[in-house]
Amino acid sequence: MTKWIATPSRTKQILADYGLHAKKGYGQNFLVDPMLVERCAQEAHASDAVIEIGPGIGSLTEQLARVAKHVTAYEVDHDLEKVLADTLSPYDNIEIIWQDFLTCDLRAKVDELKAKYGSVSVCANLPYYITTPVLFRLFEEAPDIPYITVMVQKEVGERFAAAVNTADYGALSVEAQTLYDVKKLFNVPARSFNPSPNVDSVIIQFARHSEQTMDSQDLQNFFTFVKACFRQRRKTVYNNLRDYLGSGEQALAVLAKAGVDQRTRAQELSTEQLRKLYECL
Ligand code: SAM
């Protein structure tokens, strides 16, 4: 029986057979831990349709194809066309779209998949250089995707999942947690990749809150406000707000109305408190 693509020996063989080298510019680090890849696919709530960003040589794609009715994978590196045609040939439920995920027509694809298969989830080992833009595209344009399960650099994952009053808690944590429950699933050591990156990774899962009262314009405004509150982390929220509003008086009035002490720093404020502060504005 053929080995899973994600085994170290098969990955090495595939790279050698096609004369491929992982391209740094595309953030290519291929997963070579078959159990981890299988577990990631199983935890992704991917039983209907799943979208993958960056299939590489197909290691995660293969496991997703085993759990999902349909896999749609976006890949930019055309040198992988022959490889994927070969490695994924045993599966008939995979569509590879040779396009940059950041410029694809995401809305049309999600609607099409929902109509054909039911729910749509996302599962990917993300190219590190575009982690944040990919996630924010999904956050803003696909509120109907209930689960996003992604492998990201450990320090980025920790910022998304950080609790209030910790060193990692910041605008990124508040933005993500306003929309999702963010859960760290498991750590991934650098040795699980070929080639090994300099940093460890983590798999995080975003589960969308079912109730969302802000429309997209309101969300944009809230996120701008949150960034302003965290602009200078060591300053009090009063100082940051005063700079943002251009008025100390107004900043004090908003803080008083929301019941927030003016000596508080933004990292001491929960998502709900920041939301209240924004609403008082
Ligand atoms: N999924 C494979 C794995 O886990 O072994 C490969 C993951 S690798 C970290 C990231 C993949 O994303 C690469 O195959 C890379 O070519 C692809 N990629 C990079 N930028 C992309 C983009 N803008 N849109 C789609 N895919 C992209």
Side-chain angles (χ1 to χ4, degrees):
M1 198 191 132
T2 322
K3 286 185 188 164
W4 298 134
I5 299 165
T7 49
S9 56
R10 181 137 183 245
T11 294
K12 206 168 150 198
Q13 188 65 51
I14 293 168
L15 296 178
D17 287 351
Y18 289 91
L20 286 175
H21 298 282
K23 296 185 180 116
K24 261 196 171 170
Y26 283 144
Q28 290 180 353
N29 294 97
F30 303 117
L31 273 165
V32 287
D33 182 336
M35 277 171 54
L36 182 131
V37 177
E38 198 176 356
R39 189 167 158 209
C40 184
Q42 279 167 357
E43 301 250 356
H45 297 267
S47 55
D48 287 344
V50 59
I51 295 178
E52 183 187 9
I53 297 112
I57 61 171
S59 47
L60 177 60
T61 326
E62 167 178 65
Q63 297 303 328
L64 290 171
R66 297 176 67 231
V67 296
K69 287 183 198 147
H70 190 268
V71 184
T72 305
Y74 291 90
E75 176 57 65
V76 272
D77 182 2
H78 287 271
D79 287 349
L80 297 170
E81 276 187 42
K82 279 204 193 102
V83 186
L84 286 177
D86 176 11
T87 58
L88 299 178
S89 61
Y91 307 93
D92 61 4
N93 57 343
I94 301 172
E95 177 193 21
I96 309 284
I97 302 182
W98 296 96
Q99 201 183 351
D100 180 344
F101 176 75
L102 292 176
T103 58
C104 73
D105 188 345
L106 178 62
R107 211 38 267 165
K109 181 49 79 180
V110 173
D111 288 340
E112 176 200 321
L113 293 174
K114 271 174 68 181
K116 281 193 191 154
Y117 304 102
S119 73
V120 181
S121 64
V122 166
C123 184
N125 169 15
L126 288 180
Y128 291 161
Y129 73 108
I130 49 167
T131 298
T132 312
V134 165
L135 286 173
F136 273 84
R137 179 146 208 232
L138 292 164
F139 293 174
E140 286 160 15
E141 293 177 42
D144 46 349
I145 291 185
Y147 292 97
I148 302 170
T149 308
V150 282
M151 187 166 323
V152 299
Q153 281 187 355
K154 198 163 176 233
E155 59 178 43
V156 178
E158 272 162 6
R159 282 167 60 202
F160 276 113
V164 61
N165 253 321
T166 61
D168 288 323
Y169 184 73
L172 212 57
S173 334
V174 175
E175 289 167 346
Q177 292 170 30
T178 296
L179 302 171
Y180 299 88
D181 274 330
V182 186
K183 195 165 77 177
K184 237 171 85 173
L185 293 187
F186 33 95
N187 292 325
V188 185
R191 64 170 183 277
S192 302
F193 300 92
N194 175 353
S196 293
N198 297 326
V199 289
D200 287 339
S201 299
V202 66
I203 297 182
I204 47 174
Q205 187 165 72
F206 299 86
R208 190 96 181 181
H209 298 313
S210 44
E211 238 177 74
Q212 190 50 250
T213 47
M214 287 198 249
D215 67 21
S216 87
Q217 186 54 55
D218 216 11
L219 267 178
Q220 292 291 343
N221 295 344
F222 176 58
F223 289 174
T224 307
F225 170 79
V226 169
K227 283 192 190 84
C229 289
F230 281 96
R231 209 171 75 87
Q232 288 187 278
R233 280 182 74 85
R234 295 207 315 207
K235 285 195 173 182
T236 60
V237 71
Y238 162 70
N239 276 307
N240 283 327
L241 260 186
R242 186 196 52 199
D243 295 348
Y244 175 64
L245 297 170
S247 155
E249 231 172 89
Q250 210 188 334
L252 282 178
V254 173
L255 288 168
K257 199 169 166 193
V260 175
D261 188 299
Q262 55 174 290
R263 289 161 301 184
T264 313
R265 290 180 213 291
Q267 74 226 46
E268 297 169 299
L269 293 174
S270 67
T271 304
E272 294 74 29
Q273 283 174 302
L274 282 160
R275 180 102 170 242
K276 181 152 185 224
L277 204 53
Y278 170 72
E279 276 156 13
C280 287
L281 198 73

